[in-house]
Every structure is written in structure tokens, then in C-alpha cells.
Amino acid sequence: MVKGVRSWRFGYGVVAVMVLLMTGCSGGEPPRREKDSVGWSKCNELFGARNIDALEDQMGKGQLRTEGKSFSVKDLTAALDSEALGWDPEIFTYSAGASPCRIAIRESDKLFDSNVRWTSFPGIDGPYQWRGTGGDVVAVVLSDGLLELIFPCKIPGAHKQQEKDRPLGVRVWGDGMPKFDTGLRWKMIVALARNLDRELGCVNKPDIPSDFTAA
């Protein structure tokens, strides 16, 4: 009789522990990132997983999600290559470019965004600084939250003026992100620029420095 009571108590105890464990798991914090393996994997490919992890920390509390259409490096550079090959200096063209990785926090104004496009060397008001060997790279700070790199990238088979007149512009910025420090912005934009340079196969081999922090 005693043995039966002990056995019953032991079984009840196991069930109770399992219920507590299940309750604890269900009541835990939701994952920081919404399930979107395609969007997150592409952002990691473009900027590097460590940089995306650091960005997550700097975006603060809330659940993060990728927005819009994310692009892989291969798809993004295929579109850039096609556009460069079709460029004609006699015909005015404007490219809004693509936003390959956009990350937001639900019910918040916090947003990380990026943009890549063929552009021109800066004809804008505001501070900018030449960097690199022979001015290969322009670092343009347009505002506290936005950093842009503009660098020449000669595409094989494109018009002979393409390298000079249609350099590549790469931007990153954050809205509502006071903790998005310039150091991380620089790391992210350099990672993206180098990935694009490598995949596009820029004939001129632009010098994209890794040790410069725009101020």
C-alpha cells in the first residue's frame, strides 16, 4: 500500500515539473526576429551576420522584421550590371536604385534601411570627404543618421565614360535610432560595398578603406 502511494506521488511530481517547464517556456520572451529566413539570410549575406547582430542590439527593444523585397548579392549585382551596360551618356537617366535590406521594429519608428544605385559624384550641399588612393572612394555624410559611399566601378563592356560618370553609390541609414553609431554604419557600408565590388568584378579595383570612420 505504501509503495503504491509513493509511486503515485512520484508520477504526480514528474507531471507537475513538466507542466511548470512548459508554462515557463510559453511565457518567455518572443524571439527578437520575426521568422523570415529569406530576408534575414540576405541581409546577413549583404552586410555580414556579425554586423546584423550588432545592428539588432543598437535598434533597441521590440520585435524586428525585414520589410520590402530583400535582394541577394547575386541578384542585386545582376541588375546593376545590366543597367551599367545599357547606360548611354547622351540620354539622361535617373536611377532610384534598390533597397536590398530593410529592418524595422513593429509599432515603432525605428528603421534601418539601405540603398544601392548608379549615381554621380556629389553635387550636393553638405560635408563630404575624399578617401582612398587617388580619390577612389567618397564618403558622404548627409545627416546624422545617413552615410553614403560613392566609388567608381568600371563594368566590362559598358560605355567608356561609365567609370567616370556613373560611379556606384551605397547608402545606409537609420530612422529613430539614436544608438546607431557611426562606427557600425561604417562597418556595414564597407561590407556591402566590398561585396558588390567583388561580385561585379570592378575592372578598376577601387580602394575601399576599412579603417575610416566618417565624422
Side-chain angles (χ1 to χ4, degrees), residues 1-199:
M1 181 68 178
V2 174
K3 289 183 179 180
V5 171
R6 286 179 179 176
S7 177
W8 177 83
R9 286 178 177 176
F10 175 76
Y12 178 81
V14 171
V15 172
V17 169
M18 291 178 66
V19 170
L20 287 171
L21 288 173
M22 292 174 66
T23 303
C25 291
S26 62
E29 291 292 326
R32 282 298 312 275
R33 302 179 185 182
E34 283 191 349
K35 293 182 179 180
D36 179 4
S37 59
V38 175
W40 288 111
S41 64
K42 289 180 178 178
C43 288
N44 285 339
E45 180 190 0
L46 291 164
F47 293 101
R50 288 185 179 181
N51 288 331
I52 294 296
D53 289 344
L55 175 68
E56 177 181 321
D57 291 338
Q58 293 196 7
M59 289 188 75
K61 296 181 179 180
Q63 190 174 45
L64 292 89
R65 61 178 179 180
T66 57
E67 294 188 336
K69 181 181 178 181
S70 301
F71 291 84
S72 66
V73 173
K74 186 175 181 179
D75 289 343
L76 182 59
T77 52
L80 290 168
D81 187 74
S82 177
E83 187 176 346
L85 291 173
W87 178 72
D88 184 341
E90 301 299 323
I91 302 173
F92 174 79
T93 56
Y94 170 77
S95 173
S99 178
C101 173
R102 179 181 294 159
I103 300 172
I105 292 183
R106 279 191 177 278
E107 301 177 356
S108 169
D109 61 352
K110 294 180 180 179
L111 171 71
F112 165 79
D113 210 344
S114 55
N115 181 266
V116 178
R117 74 204 188 287
W118 294 111
T119 183
S120 58
F121 282 106
I124 59 171
D125 295 328
Y128 67 90
Q129 184 172 357
W130 289 95
R131 299 294 300 182
T133 304
D136 282 347
V137 176
V138 181
V140 185
V141 182
L142 300 180
S143 69
D144 291 339
L146 188 150
L147 179 64
E148 179 174 25
L149 286 185
I150 300 176
F151 60 94
C153 173
K154 173 60 178 175
I155 298 298
H159 193 281
K160 62 182 181 180
Q161 293 179 223
Q162 178 264 318
E163 177 184 351
K164 177 178 179 295
D165 294 343
R166 296 294 282 181
L168 194 61
V170 181
R171 290 184 174 193
V172 297
W173 69 95
D175 291 333
M177 293 173 55
K179 293 185 179 180
F180 190 16
D181 65 62
T182 308
L184 179 57
R185 275 186 282 154
W186 180 256
K187 289 180 181 178
M188 296 186 75
I189 204 170
V190 166
L192 178 57
R194 288 181 169 178
N195 278 333
L196 297 177
D197 169 32
R198 182 167 52 250
E199 187 68 26

